[in-house]
Amino acid sequence: MMNEIDSSLLEKIADLTGKPVGAFNIRKDSGCEARQSTEHIEITSKTDKEGIDIRIKDGTQGEVCHIPVIITKTGVSELVYNDFYIGDNCDIEIVAGCGIHNTGCNESRHDGIHTFYIGKNSRVRYSEKHYGEVSEKADGTNVMNPETVVYLGENSTMQMDTVQIRGIDSTKRMTKFFCEAGSEVVVTERLLTHGKQEAISEMEIELNGKDAKGRVISRSVAQDNSHQVFYPRMVGNAPCFGHVQCDSIIMGDAKIRSIPEISANDTDAQLIHEAAIGKIAGDQLLKLETLGLTAEQAEDTILKGFLA
């Protein structure tokens, strides 16, 4: 029997993903805190390993599925497999995310592997938000390593929005798409690191069918002594269109490597990549300071706008 959701947990989930309505699965400290399926979305536990299966019936329209993860203890380490089976002619939203509140001196870690099997003529909006914090008197570390694999059926679309702003000491993101004819994927990635944090993001989009489209928009800020590596790859195996755009702001003694790659294996593949790394322009700061903002407020305003 699943536990009832207490008010404090609901507040955490609301901050992370919005109030859960419809289908949801709440994972807390390596256990299932609460779960709810609907007429069109069924969530069940795996029997061979940690994780869940989410099955969405053909023709499901306008429903939302929330699958947040919460870690409130130090020393937790978990690997979770979540598989999504999305039928034909669907229009749905999936909201995922992980929040870690490390209360001790050990590492708290969540590794999640999400695999999507999306049918024909479906539209999926998938958002994934990561947040971490450590208690004032603790010095533990927070680690998240998300992996996402998507098999996108003919004439289907997926809009993927990932956000990680502060709080995660180490992360390695692995994302891969396989796109059939007429399908389209748009990935928006936003990341901010500070202190000595490290972040690696590897992404590959295979455009395998005629008229498949892919777009990657990555925006990041590296502060202090943090280190970031971006490696997005767009592969055109058919008449298709792909665009990779990576923009980064570097501050302090941070380091950023951006390695966009395009690979065409068909004469009608149209692929474009762009990458830029730079600091905040002095005239932008000066303009905001003349409007009454302090230097810190001006900098914060520019970063918020850049990562919006």
Side-chain angles (χ1 to χ4, degrees):
M1 181 70 69
M2 305 301 173
N3 296 330
E4 294 185 1
I5 311 173
D6 60 41
S7 58
S8 62
L9 183 57
L10 274 176
E11 290 176 1
K12 293 178 182 178
I13 295 166
D15 290 340
L16 185 66
T17 64
K19 183 179 179 181
V21 293
F24 60 83
N25 185 89
I26 302 167
R27 183 179 179 88
K28 181 182 178 184
D29 295 329
S30 298
C32 183
E33 186 74 8
R35 177 181 299 163
Q36 177 173 287
S37 296
T38 66
E39 179 183 355
H40 303 108
I41 302 177
E42 180 185 29
I43 303 175
T44 57
S45 298
K46 288 186 176 297
T47 57
D48 57 340
K49 52 191 173 185
E50 286 293 313
I52 55 177
D53 290 328
I54 300 96
R55 300 182 184 276
I56 301 175
K57 294 182 179 179
D58 291 350
T60 300
Q61 299 283 316
E63 292 202 31
V64 182
C65 179
H66 290 79
I67 54 165
V69 174
I70 299 169
I71 295 177
T72 65
K73 299 177 181 179
T74 192
V76 173
S77 181
E78 59 181 14
L79 173 59
V80 179
Y81 298 82
N82 295 333
D83 291 342
F84 300 80
Y85 301 91
I86 300 167
D88 298 339
N89 304 304
C90 294
D91 188 342
I92 55 119
E93 181 177 0
I94 298 170
V95 183
C98 181
I100 298 179
H101 179 69
N102 196 333
T103 57
C105 301
N106 298 318
E107 176 186 281
S108 290
R109 175 173 179 159
H110 173 76
D111 294 348
I113 300 176
H114 290 181
T115 305
F116 292 79
Y117 304 90
I118 301 175
K120 298 179 180 180
N121 306 308
S122 287
R123 182 182 180 189
V124 179
R125 294 168 300 284
Y126 175 58
S127 59
E128 185 178 72
K129 300 180 181 180
H130 291 163
Y131 173 75
E133 63 181 15
V134 176
S135 297
E136 288 186 11
K137 296 183 179 180
D139 59 359
T141 57
N142 298 329
V143 178
M144 291 187 192
N145 296 314
E147 181 176 338
T148 305
V149 181
V150 181
Y151 298 91
L152 197 55
E154 292 183 5
N155 301 313
S156 288
T157 65
M158 185 174 192
Q159 181 177 327
M160 179 176 175
D161 187 11
T162 68
V163 180
Q164 183 175 301
I165 307 296
R166 300 182 178 272
I168 306 301
D169 298 286
S170 175
T171 185
K172 186 172 184 179
R173 306 183 57 86
M174 304 290 291
T175 308
K176 191 160 187 176
F177 282 85
F178 300 89
C179 302
E180 298 302 321
S183 65
E184 181 175 9
V185 56
V186 179
V187 181
T188 303
E189 182 177 60
R190 289 169 286 174
L191 174 70
L192 186 149
T193 56
H194 63 102
K196 297 182 179 180
Q197 295 174 353
E198 295 186 356
I200 298 173
S201 178
E202 293 194 32
M203 189 180 305
E204 183 170 326
I205 298 178
E206 289 192 12
L207 303 174
N208 296 322
K210 183 179 179 180
D211 296 328
K213 299 180 180 67
R215 186 178 182 189
V216 176
I217 305 165
S218 176
R219 292 189 173 183
S220 73
V221 177
Q223 299 176 324
D224 305 322
N225 292 289
S226 62
H227 183 204
Q228 299 179 6
V229 178
F230 294 92
Y231 189 7
R233 301 181 292 278
M234 189 76 68
V235 182
N237 294 321
C240 60
F241 176 81
H243 185 199
V244 177
Q245 178 182 343
C246 303
D247 295 314
S248 300
I249 292 176
I250 188 167
M251 306 172 68
D253 295 316
K255 295 180 181 179
I256 300 177
R257 292 180 64 204
S258 186
I259 319 164
E261 177 185 330
I262 52 177
S263 177
N265 300 313
D266 188 285
T267 56
D268 291 318
Q270 301 180 54
L271 307 175
I272 304 167
H273 76 70
E274 304 174 65
I277 302 173
K279 64 180 181 179
I280 298 176
D283 58 343
Q284 292 180 315
L285 291 170
L286 181 60
K287 182 176 180 179
L288 291 175
E289 288 175 28
T290 59
L291 296 175
L293 275 65
T294 65
E296 291 78 12
Q297 290 171 333
E299 184 179 277
D300 187 56
T301 299
I302 291 171
L303 295 183
K304 286 181 178 179
F306 179 73
L307 293 171

